[in-house]
Amino acid sequence: MRRRTLLAAAGLAAPTSLLLGVESALADLPAPSGSSVPLDVRLARARALFDTGRYGDLLQALPDLIATAHARIRERADIDYARLSACYSLTAQVLVKIGRYDQARLTADRAGLYADLSGSPLVSAAAARELAIVLRHQNQADTAQRLVVKAASAVEATGLRTQAQAAAYAQLLCTTSYTAARAGHRDEALSMIEDAARATRDLSTVPPAGRLFAITPASVQLYQVGVHWALGDAGAAIRAGGQLRPEQFTTAERKGRLHTDMARAWWQWGKPEHTAQSLLAAFRATPAEVRDRPSMRAIVEELNRSHAQAAGVRELGRLVLAERPRAGAS
């Protein structure tokens, strides 16, 4: 008999041991492996795993990455604190993706602690944004909003003299807008997303490699899809998304997010076939964006229960809902 080894509650199609490894590292850091690969290179590779939707591989890499980054802060250099904060922010991001909000809250808190020690307003902004996202998922929208507005004000106080600062400010405005929308604050949400669009007018359509906030004008428009969906205006969300193309986004995760946000809007509008086609497009871009996100799996499950005859639904169910046994299980 095959044993279930999937993280069914989180929807993560990866062995339970991967998540347990991260949880263990958060409680008791392992000894660093002593890898000769520079930490910046390893962090970039870990980020690439997230961007390509390889969440299982990322979970596997995180314990040693965090342990190595911790070992570096013995020198108490600002850059080392910044790197450690980035490791924890990335951990929070993947934990949010798979619906593990309590662990994400812990890692986001740590990201903020080490960001403050780094002295970098942009690193602090990145950590504050991750914590705000976690708080939003924990139904603490007002606290999340205060946190991200405070972070945006701190970035604005830099004078926005560089592209990196302008990108950080625009990203925080987008997060503020979406958080407001999820809390039902329509005027604030629409005002903030308009401000974000203005803030990105002079930014490149392709962000430089390694930029902390890789936002572009197309990214802001993708946020508009989410904002309108969150406000209950499926028609406006679909109109905004209809002007976007996957090739405007440089990562598989963002391409997939375009399709899943459109799927939410179509689902809200009561269009199961369009929903299924959008989710199939998201799966083709990055399977994890559909398979590993609890909110997306919930839509797929409901499509299979209530609209099994709609075009694409059965194929989607086979792709997303089929359980995968652990290698070696019997």
Side-chain angles (χ1 to χ4, degrees):
M1 182 181 297
R2 295 189 182 276
R3 296 188 297 272
R4 290 185 65 186
T5 59
L6 305 183
L7 298 177
L12 179 65
T16 308
S17 60
L18 296 182
L19 183 57
L20 293 178
V22 173
E23 292 178 344
S24 177
L26 294 176
D28 184 20
L29 280 173
S33 64
S35 171
S36 61
V37 179
L39 184 58
D40 283 340
V41 173
R42 294 181 62 191
L43 185 55
R45 289 175 180 174
R47 166 58 60 182
L49 292 175
F50 180 86
D51 288 340
T52 53
R54 296 166 60 188
Y55 302 145
D57 291 339
L58 177 55
L59 289 171
Q60 187 172 24
L62 282 171
D64 187 58
L65 183 66
I66 294 170
T68 301
H70 264 285
R72 292 285 296 273
I73 64 170
R74 293 169 186 165
E75 300 176 8
R76 301 188 182 278
D78 291 349
I79 186 61
D80 292 327
Y81 286 123
R83 290 182 180 118
L84 181 55
S85 176
C87 289
Y88 276 120
S89 286
L90 181 57
T91 306
Q93 282 184 285
V94 70
L95 289 172
V96 165
K97 281 284 188 184
I98 63 175
R100 294 287 175 151
Y101 304 125
D102 288 343
Q103 295 92 332
R105 173 67 179 271
L106 173 62
T107 55
D109 280 337
R110 291 184 184 178
L113 169 65
Y114 294 111
D116 289 345
L117 290 172
S118 79
S120 167
L122 297 192
V123 174
S124 291
R129 177 176 177 266
E130 295 310 321
L131 180 55
I133 291 170
V134 176
L135 290 170
R136 189 177 70 222
H137 282 285
Q138 293 182 320
N139 299 316
Q140 298 181 57
D142 290 342
T143 303
Q145 192 73 330
R146 288 195 299 271
L147 183 66
V148 76
V149 167
K150 180 180 178 181
S153 297
V155 172
E156 187 178 24
T158 66
L160 307 181
R161 291 182 291 273
T162 69
Q163 292 260 305
Q165 291 167 347
Y169 184 62
Q171 179 67 77
L172 291 168
L173 290 176
C174 286
T175 302
T176 301
S177 174
Y178 186 65
T179 302
R182 294 301 301 264
H185 303 316
R186 183 180 185 86
D187 291 344
E188 182 180 1
L190 296 178
S191 174
M192 289 296 101
I193 202 65
E194 290 175 3
D195 288 346
R198 284 191 288 271
T200 57
R201 283 175 181 169
D202 295 329
L203 295 181
S204 171
T205 57
V206 180
R211 174 167 286 175
L212 189 57
F213 294 93
I215 196 167
T216 65
S219 302
V220 176
Q221 192 161 351
L222 178 54
Y223 266 95
Q224 289 176 351
V225 178
V227 167
H228 288 304
W229 164 81
L231 290 171
D233 193 343
I238 290 166
R239 284 194 296 274
Q243 301 171 27
L244 294 170
R245 304 181 309 280
E247 55 267 27
Q248 290 176 279
F249 303 95
T250 59
T251 70
E253 186 271 338
R254 285 291 93 181
K255 294 176 194 290
R257 186 59 182 257
L258 167 61
H259 295 303
T260 57
D261 278 3
M262 290 296 286
R264 286 182 188 270
W266 286 120
W267 185 240
Q268 188 177 66
W269 205 359
K271 303 289 186 180
E273 290 189 6
H274 291 77
T275 303
Q277 293 305 315
S278 292
L279 289 174
L280 284 169
F283 191 92
R284 287 190 289 270
T286 170
E289 193 63 16
V290 183
R291 186 190 61 215
D292 295 350
R293 291 178 62 195
S295 58
M296 294 300 105
R297 288 177 67 92
I299 293 176
V300 175
E301 289 168 355
E302 184 58 33
L303 281 169
N304 274 265
R305 279 194 298 268
S306 305
H307 304 282
Q309 303 306 314
V313 169
R314 289 183 177 175
E315 178 187 0
L316 185 63
R318 287 194 298 270
L319 290 170
V320 175
L321 301 179
E323 294 184 359
R324 303 178 184 179
R326 180 184 54 164
S330 59

